[in-house]
Amino acid sequence: MRKWWFSFVGLFLTVVARRDDFDRIGYFWQITDIHYDPQVTLHGDYKKGCVRHENMEGSSSSRNGNKGPRRLNSPNENLGTYGEYHCDSTWELLESAAKFMKSKQSDNIEFVLWTGDGLSHFAIKHLSENHQLELVKALTDLLGKTFPAQFVFPALGHDDPPFEKRLGKMWSKWLPTDSIKTFETGGYYIIERKPRKLHIVVLNTDLMRRSDTDEDASKQWKWLEGVLNKFEQNKEKVYLVGHVAPGRDERQRGLFSPAHKAYTSFHNQKYIEIIRNYSRVIAGQFFGHLHSDTFRIMLDKNGRPISWAMIAPSITPKRNHVGPNNPSLRLYKFNKDTGQVFDYSQYYMDLSESNLHAKAEWVVEYNFTSYYGINEITSENLHHLARKFVNSDQEITSLFERYHRANTVKVLPHPRDECDLSCVHNHYCAITHIDYRDFEDCIKRTALTRSAAERHLSSFSSLFVITVLVILSSFP
């Protein structure tokens, strides 16, 4: 009898423990770089952003931001319903994304990270402040209807209206009073998820492009260090969330393009310093901006990986200068208390196929752990993964090819843009060397290594040819 009782108690405790583990598992979405453009029309010129020049401020098609762009019916329609690779997001694309997100894990979604750039470059440059806010309200209402029971936490991007007080009022349904106060003064805030021990710190990365002595930027750094110190004392964890990640752009090759640098050198170094000081508190970092699917590893002064950042690809298919991508969405699986990210599912729309069939098809592109063959997302595992991208100086690894397909969300590069060894090492150095000087040293080292290998191969080839000629000359 006693033995049976102990067995029953043991089984009961096991069930309770497993139930407890299950209750700690949650999901959250990351959406980024929506770049909604109300001026896009089916008759727009794709070489000019799919915009008709008469569709400027005050035209009939630009006054219906809450309903999306006015569509023109004609047998000569030349642009897809869900947009084009040269153009920013249509309203139909955004509605399809919202509908898809609502259908996935709706009961288990804890929150949504909206990491900036809600509007297109065109809207920010040409539309009035009031019209810009109307468009952001349209996006806010769409997400509010999609996630009526969840909170959406927005981060400001450079293509968002810089009207913090008016945006704060608009987003007050998601942000508590204390968060609104810092958001309205500096564009940054904290979400304390009590009684959970994982909190969310949202940064205004636009401030990190300002001068070294900028007062608002200095206030954000001071605030951030105070927040992290508080949670370190309480033995709690945080996610750092922002629009632009530190470091260099992995798709921009070379050393001297100003497009490489996300922050000024001062602010980039300051960010690295804070990560090194508080890596025990930081459970993860989440950014957008690049429109590409990649990640970053932060190292300590001894070169050991101590933190990671995920950079999610955009909803808009458009990217200037270095090629487009398919629209994408990302769903993370995580521990609601510790912040440990177990995995994520990357979803995407094949824009060409969806336009061809006039039907939005959002499907899974990959699951991170199975795609890359790692058991969980940690800084050590990600660092090891990145090193596998360059484990040979003479060939491009199949693992890197897999990463490179995901980097553009399955948009195959034009032959002139295919990734050679120089491109591979540019990705590797950007992923693993956030410090600007370290990145430059990494690029120079890999260039020297390739050059030496090429000289060695050339010498070997010359010696082989000479040897063959000598052998042939010995025959009568």
Side-chain angles (χ1 to χ4, degrees):
M1 182 69 178
R2 182 178 296 177
K3 184 176 181 181
W4 175 87
W5 173 251
F6 284 141
S7 298
F8 174 78
V9 171
L11 178 61
F12 175 78
L13 292 175
T14 299
V15 171
V16 170
R18 289 181 177 176
R19 176 65 186 178
D20 197 38
D21 288 341
F22 178 80
D23 288 342
R24 290 193 184 101
I25 294 174
Y27 298 84
F28 66 90
W29 285 102
Q30 182 184 3
I31 57 176
T32 194
D33 296 88
I34 293 173
H35 288 290
Y36 170 42
D37 194 335
Q39 306 293 341
V40 172
T41 76
L42 291 176
H43 286 276
D45 184 349
Y46 79 89
K47 295 180 180 179
K48 299 178 181 178
C50 303
V51 173
R52 295 207 313 181
H53 288 289
E54 61 267 31
N55 289 340
M56 299 293 286
E57 185 74 30
S59 71
S60 60
S61 67
S62 69
R63 289 196 295 264
N64 60 349
N66 292 330
K67 296 181 181 178
R70 177 173 64 88
R71 289 301 177 187
L72 305 176
N73 295 317
S74 165
N76 297 318
E77 291 176 353
N78 62 329
L79 301 180
T81 299
Y82 302 104
E84 295 292 337
Y85 290 111
H86 298 274
C87 312
D88 276 319
S89 297
T90 67
W91 190 253
E92 287 82 355
L93 172 63
L94 303 182
E95 284 185 315
S96 73
K99 182 179 179 180
F100 175 76
M101 286 189 289
K102 191 169 186 176
S103 71
K104 303 294 290 185
Q105 296 287 351
S106 58
D107 294 335
N108 293 322
I109 299 298
E110 292 292 308
F111 51 83
V112 179
L113 301 181
W114 177 7
T115 49
D117 277 8
L119 304 184
S120 67
H121 303 300
F122 180 91
I124 291 296
K125 184 176 180 180
H126 292 289
L127 303 185
S128 69
E129 293 180 5
N130 286 338
H131 195 176
Q132 291 174 22
L133 287 167
E134 286 177 7
L135 299 179
V136 175
K137 187 177 186 306
L139 298 177
T140 300
D141 290 345
L142 179 64
L143 291 175
K145 293 174 183 176
T146 304
F147 302 103
Q150 290 86 21
F151 291 97
V152 178
F153 302 131
L156 289 177
H158 55 281
D159 281 331
D160 291 312
F163 319 124
E164 282 88 345
K165 288 189 177 181
R166 297 170 73 180
L167 288 175
K169 184 177 181 181
M170 187 184 301
W171 293 335
S172 60
K173 62 182 177 181
W174 294 327
L175 308 184
T177 303
D178 290 344
S179 300
I180 291 291
K181 288 179 181 177
T182 56
F183 178 80
E184 288 184 345
T185 57
Y188 48 87
Y189 60 93
I190 181 172
I191 300 294
E192 296 194 54
R193 300 176 63 249
K194 297 177 180 178
R196 300 290 182 187
K197 293 187 176 182
L198 171 69
H199 310 289
I200 299 171
V201 177
V202 179
L203 303 174
N204 181 359
T205 57
D206 283 352
L207 297 178
M208 299 172 190
R209 298 183 175 196
R210 298 189 181 181
S211 68
D212 301 356
T213 58
D214 182 82
E215 184 177 353
D216 290 332
S218 298
K219 285 180 179 178
Q220 179 173 233
W221 287 129
K222 185 177 180 180
W223 170 85
L224 177 59
E225 290 186 271
V227 164
L228 295 177
N229 184 63
K230 169 188 170 181
F231 290 127
E232 183 177 52
Q233 297 300 318
N234 295 341
K235 297 182 179 179
E236 296 176 322
K237 299 286 188 179
V238 303
Y239 283 158
L240 294 185
V241 180
H243 178 59
V244 182
R248 301 276 192 147
D249 181 346
E250 80 283 349
R251 282 205 228 174
Q252 298 271 4
R253 298 199 209 179
L255 295 176
F256 304 110
S257 170
H260 284 186
K261 292 187 176 182
Y263 305 167
T264 67
S265 296
F266 171 83
H267 292 303
N268 195 70
Q269 198 60 41
K270 183 69 175 177
Y271 189 92
I272 293 170
E273 176 186 320
I274 287 179
I275 296 299
R276 286 173 174 170
N277 290 339
Y278 294 99
S279 61
R280 295 180 301 279
V281 182
I282 300 165
Q285 304 166 63
F286 304 90
F287 299 97
H289 176 62
L290 294 180
H291 296 204
S292 57
D293 185 339
T294 186
F295 57 94
R296 298 290 184 265
I297 306 298
M298 278 70 169
L299 308 176
D300 65 14
K301 292 182 179 180
N302 297 315
R304 292 188 295 263
I306 55 171
S307 188
W308 54 261
M310 287 293 168
I311 301 177
S314 60
I315 289 183
T316 181
K318 179 182 179 181
R319 174 170 174 167
N320 296 326
H321 309 306
V322 288
N325 51 272
N326 279 307
S328 66
L329 303 163
R330 181 173 289 181
L331 181 65
Y332 292 91
K333 179 181 178 181
F334 77 117
N335 184 305
K336 292 186 282 189
D337 280 323
T338 66
Q340 171 64 52
V341 175
F342 301 117
D343 203 355
Y344 70 71
S345 297
Q346 185 67 47
Y347 296 97
Y348 83 111
M349 171 195 283
D350 186 316
L351 191 58
S352 296
E353 288 296 310
S354 292
N355 282 331
L356 179 64
H357 301 292
K359 183 180 179 181
E361 292 286 353
W362 289 90
V363 296
V364 65
E365 181 188 1
Y366 67 89
N367 294 104
F368 189 88
T369 55
S370 58
Y371 191 69
Y372 288 115
I374 60 178
N375 57 4
E376 63 180 0
I377 296 174
T378 66
S379 53
E380 292 83 2
N381 284 346
L382 291 174
H383 191 241
H384 184 61
L385 171 64
R387 290 180 68 85
K388 287 183 178 180
F389 293 165
V390 290
N391 65 1
S392 170
D393 291 320
Q394 298 304 312
E395 61 182 19
I396 298 175
T397 67
S398 60
L399 195 60
F400 178 82
E401 290 177 340
R402 178 170 290 203
Y403 157 82
H404 196 241
R405 284 195 299 273
N407 185 249
T408 56
V409 196
K410 301 186 80 169
V411 173
L412 298 177
H414 188 279
R416 68 172 178 270
D417 299 321
E418 287 182 353
C419 206
D420 56 15
L421 285 173
S422 172
C423 164
V424 173
H425 283 94
N426 204 89
H427 279 264
Y428 169 75
C429 292
I431 290 170
T432 57
H433 294 77
I434 311 304
D435 179 276
Y436 292 151
R437 184 172 295 179
D438 289 346
F439 171 84
E440 292 169 4
D441 290 343
C442 178
I443 291 292
K444 291 173 183 176
R445 283 197 306 272
T446 53
L448 289 172
T449 301
R450 290 196 310 274
S451 177
E454 290 167 358
R455 287 197 303 271
H456 176 75
L457 183 62
S458 176
S459 299
F460 177 81
S461 299
S462 299
L463 181 61
F464 177 78
V465 170
I466 292 171
T467 303
V468 169
L469 290 175
V470 169
I471 292 174
L472 289 175
S473 65
S474 65
F475 287 96

